[in-house]
Amino acid sequence: MVEAVENEFKLTTDAPIDEDLILKRLSGYLDDHGIDYSEKVKSSEDRYFDSKDMELDSMDCILRRKNSSSGRIKLTIKRPLTNDSGMMSRREIEKRSDGSFEDLCAFSEEQFPGIMIEEEPVLIIRTTRHDFEYDGIKLSFDICTYVDGEDTKDFHEIELESMDDSTECDFDRIGIVDFIRTLGFETTVLSKFKRGIIWKSKNSF
């Protein structure tokens, strides 16, 4: 089991975009600033779970099971710390999983004793992620789809995450967050999951 602090700026858009152009603009910005970075692409299906009364959501916490394209299955719990100057800080706890509901419930019980988790996920998010990693920073361009039964919604998100286990918010030293805004993305302090629950509630009417 691994525990760390996650610090990130999130920017998102629901508008149609040229994904190849966005990737080219992001890599070009890093190149123009002399940044030496590595790239990788991965995909996943994230299933989010909660109690019948959405007790975790009411605490701004999440319980997630991630099935990655590599075949790995990982469980994650996130708890809020701060939202400072547009940056989200959350306490993140992760562990490998065998994918069973029993393993999920045992993991949840360790952190949220007495909360009964429902077996059906409350939300599914499918993501293809393009990562650029440099100087302890991860810049991610996510191509995402919310799934709620037969209903779906596509959206895009760019995250700038510090891998340092602190809550310092000055890690964007090359000004890339401001540059991302010029690409049509807006800053948000709501997680993918929280925005997905809002979409799901509106979609149910």
Side-chain angles (χ1 to χ4, degrees):
M1 192 175 301
V2 178
E3 185 169 348
V5 173
E6 175 189 69
N7 300 309
E8 60 187 1
F9 291 97
K10 288 179 173 286
L11 300 99
T12 188
T13 182
D14 294 333
I17 61 173
D18 185 331
E19 294 162 356
D20 291 335
L21 178 60
I22 295 296
L23 285 169
K24 184 177 180 180
R25 296 290 300 277
L26 291 174
S27 61
Y29 190 89
L30 296 176
D31 290 338
D32 290 346
H33 285 76
I35 301 297
D36 184 19
Y37 58 88
S38 62
E39 292 184 66
K40 61 183 177 181
V41 181
K42 56 188 175 182
S43 60
S44 66
E45 180 177 273
D46 296 351
R47 292 175 174 251
Y48 294 81
F49 297 84
D50 208 329
S51 67
K52 183 178 180 180
D53 297 326
M54 299 292 286
E55 294 170 84
L56 301 187
D57 181 49
S58 70
M59 297 185 291
D60 287 331
C61 297
I62 69 162
L63 172 61
R64 181 182 71 196
R65 182 169 67 209
K66 178 184 290 288
N67 290 64
S68 298
S69 53
S70 64
R72 292 182 178 179
I73 302 174
K74 183 169 65 177
L75 302 180
T76 303
I77 284 171
K78 296 187 181 185
R79 296 175 177 271
L81 292 176
T82 62
N83 285 333
D84 182 20
S85 301
M87 186 191 77
M88 296 177 62
S89 290
R90 294 181 289 182
R91 177 71 61 182
E92 182 177 84
I93 305 167
E94 295 185 332
K95 71 179 288 285
R96 294 284 293 274
S97 174
D98 62 11
S100 68
F101 182 61
E102 290 75 16
D103 193 32
L104 179 81
C105 288
F107 180 58
S108 176
E109 181 66 20
E110 290 177 4
Q111 302 298 321
F112 306 109
I115 294 181
M116 303 298 294
I117 300 301
E118 295 285 290
E119 189 164 2
E120 287 298 311
V122 295
L123 187 70
I124 297 173
I125 306 178
R126 295 177 182 143
T127 303
T128 297
R129 167 166 284 196
H130 298 257
D131 279 335
F132 303 87
E133 294 187 10
Y134 61 95
D135 300 334
I137 303 294
K138 183 186 293 183
L139 173 66
S140 303
F141 174 50
D142 293 342
I143 303 167
C144 307
T145 302
Y146 287 131
V147 180
D148 178 33
E150 298 284 322
D151 298 318
T152 61
K153 178 187 176 182
D154 296 331
F155 68 101
H156 297 83
E157 182 170 284
I158 299 177
E159 297 179 0
L160 185 71
E161 179 181 353
S162 170
M163 300 177 193
D164 184 22
D165 192 21
S166 72
T167 55
E168 294 297 324
C169 63
D170 62 347
F171 58 86
D172 180 20
R173 293 182 173 86
I174 61 172
I176 199 167
V177 169
D178 287 338
F179 172 71
I180 293 168
R181 292 190 184 102
T182 70
L183 303 178
F185 288 75
E186 296 182 351
T187 303
T188 180
V189 291
L190 297 179
S191 67
K192 288 185 182 74
F193 171 73
K194 178 64 78 173
R195 300 195 318 268
I197 292 299
I198 293 171
W199 162 76
K200 181 179 176 179
S201 66
K202 291 180 179 178
N203 201 47
S204 63
F205 290 105

